[in-house]
Amino acid sequence: MTLLGMVRGLVEADVRLVVIGGVAANAHGSARITDDLDVCYDPEDGNRRRLAMTLAAWGAYLRGVEPGLPFVMDERALRTTPVMTLITAQGSIDVMDRVLGVGGFADVLQDSEEVEVGDLRFRVLSLAGLIRAKRAARRRKDLDQLPELEALLELSRRPRPLKPPETTPPARA
Amino acid sequence: MLLAPRPLTLGQYATAVGAPKRWVQNAHAVLGLGAVYTPEEARRLAFARLLKQACGMPLVAAYPLAAPSLAGWPGRRTWVLERQTGAAAVAVDLERFLSDCNIRLSLARSWYAERRRGRPPKARRRGVAWAKWYGVDVTLLQESLKRTPAERLRALDANLDFLKSLRFTGR
């Protein structure tokens, strides 16, 4: 499955979420390729249950851990550990109920923009929000992405050149 | 050939245990464990910490119980600590406990990478000038901005598909 396919799967399962991380950066114009989907989810009980059920149906397992170890993917696991890094049959996904530098889900939602890809509609964290999150995380890979995001912010704020006005050809005498 | 997993840093180890770094260092000093941080040790220490928190058992008494108790899984799903009167003092769902430990270990390895120490460097340049200085190809960004977000996301999926096909056919 593709990254957009994973987003579609979550949206169709009625999971309230905001896409953050590399996919959101790509939506804003980043040229970096990412192979995992990062989402911030609403920690409301029903939403957490729907997310856990979807991830369990995708055969989610922990990333960076030897295979075959005990792992229970359910609502309780999400409640006790609100941040999880997972590998699923559909691809890699990181789920969290808050974003460092931005805040809880309500703050993330407020700082998000709607994206429409065909008939699929979902929200992505704003460019300014992504920059705040990367600054706060302070991991090397996050800091490496900052110059590109800052450039995108500046470029997107520059006034676009106006198209030359359509002129009608002069009438022949 | 299988490579032995890398030992954890103190920060990763503390995340895996589910305790502050200082608590972990003090616990290692009390138990005489030294500064070797492995996933197995993290599970044992997390178990001892659970017993200490649940029934006030001293760490030095709780720690020796950890290894034999955890070795009981998957044959035994629940581990019960009984009082001398025969009443259960604490019952641990071993599968759930190990699952929680593994979730923390996954986070420690993949999410909580060591942060850059100290104050962040003062950026002398900002925006496009900084990106150019850093080596970012700004023309790529300008081209990308000419497209809609939907086109960019479709391109990301297409590029990812292409990269995956390279990985599968590579020798």
Side-chain angles (χ1 to χ4, degrees):
Chain A
M1 196 185 265
T2 58
L3 293 168
L4 281 175
M6 288 173 79
V7 177
R8 182 181 292 279
L10 291 167
V11 169
E12 285 177 354
D14 206 15
V15 178
R16 281 191 301 281
L17 57 89
V18 174
V19 174
I20 58 174
V23 176
N26 265 267
H28 290 298
S30 166
R32 285 186 178 222
I33 295 178
T34 180
D35 66 349
D36 70 341
L37 178 68
D38 302 328
V39 299
C40 177
Y41 62 89
D42 184 351
E44 182 264 327
D45 281 349
N47 194 55
R48 197 157 35 199
R49 188 165 48 249
R50 289 189 293 275
L51 174 61
M53 283 170 64
T54 309
L55 293 173
W58 288 352
Y61 188 69
L62 300 164
R63 207 154 73 231
V65 170
E66 300 77 3
L69 293 176
F71 171 56
V72 185
M73 181 67 252
D74 61 4
E75 189 190 348
R76 189 180 148 187
L78 279 175
R79 200 182 315 125
T80 52
T81 320
V83 183
M84 277 200 206
T85 55
L86 302 163
I87 178 89
T88 74
Q90 319 297 332
S92 299
I93 182 168
D94 295 349
V95 296
M96 60 209 75
D97 70 351
R98 58 185 53 250
V99 178
L100 206 61
V102 182
F105 178 75
D107 304 308
V108 175
L109 187 65
Q110 199 165 10
D111 203 357
S112 67
E113 299 164 14
E114 191 172 72
V115 169
E116 207 174 320
V117 185
D119 60 341
L120 176 64
R121 278 184 182 189
F122 57 97
R123 300 192 75 84
V124 299
L125 185 60
S126 72
L127 199 48
L130 278 172
I131 290 171
R132 283 205 306 280
K134 299 278 177 195
R135 279 222 183 96
R138 285 178 63 192
R139 295 175 301 179
R140 187 165 293 278
K141 66 171 191 170
D142 296 309
L143 296 176
D144 275 349
Q145 206 176 353
L146 267 177
E148 187 192 41
L149 295 178
E150 291 248 7
L152 281 169
L153 190 65
E154 187 186 317
L155 290 170
S156 60
R157 283 178 179 168
R158 278 183 191 170
R160 300 269 166 89
L162 291 173
K163 283 183 181 175
E166 289 179 13
T167 51
T168 48
R172 286 184 184 173
Chain B
M1 187 179 72
L2 281 174
L3 295 173
R6 278 188 301 170
L8 306 170
T9 63
L10 174 61
Q12 288 175 318
Y13 183 75
T15 304
V17 173
K21 283 187 206 173
R22 182 57 63 126
W23 186 91
V24 164
Q25 285 175 314
N26 288 341
H28 268 236
V30 166
L31 298 169
L33 292 176
V36 178
Y37 306 125
T38 63
E40 291 72 30
E41 202 57 59
R43 289 186 194 108
R44 283 187 215 128
L45 195 57
F47 192 85
R49 182 175 156 87
L50 176 71
L51 292 186
K52 183 175 162 43
Q53 287 177 332
C55 55
M57 186 184 277
L59 209 54
V60 285
Y63 182 75
L65 297 175
S69 311
L70 295 176
W73 193 88
R76 198 167 49 174
R77 296 187 72 87
T78 310
W79 179 84
V80 180
L81 174 69
E82 290 180 352
R83 291 185 198 278
Q84 285 179 339
T85 56
V90 63
V92 180
D93 178 342
L94 286 179
E95 187 180 32
R96 177 68 67 174
F97 171 81
L98 287 169
S99 173
D100 288 348
C101 280
N102 291 329
I103 291 170
R104 291 196 300 265
L105 180 63
S106 163
L107 278 182
R109 281 188 174 149
S110 54
W111 186 259
Y112 294 126
E114 290 289 306
R115 288 169 145 210
R116 192 185 173 123
R117 289 170 187 271
R119 192 178 294 174
K122 208 171 183 177
R124 291 183 184 161
R125 302 177 175 89
R126 300 300 292 258
V128 173
W130 184 28
K132 279 182 180 167
W133 176 81
Y134 204 80
V136 175
D137 185 350
V138 177
T139 56
L140 268 181
L141 305 183
Q142 286 165 330
E143 284 305 308
S144 178
L145 286 176
K146 287 177 188 168
R147 292 183 289 184
T148 64
E151 287 169 336
R152 291 174 208 145
L153 289 174
R154 286 197 181 109
L156 170 65
D157 265 345
N159 288 335
L160 199 56
D161 263 355
F162 175 67
L163 279 183
K164 279 179 187 165
S165 69
L166 284 184
R167 276 183 210 158
F168 282 119
T169 54
R171 291 184 181 180

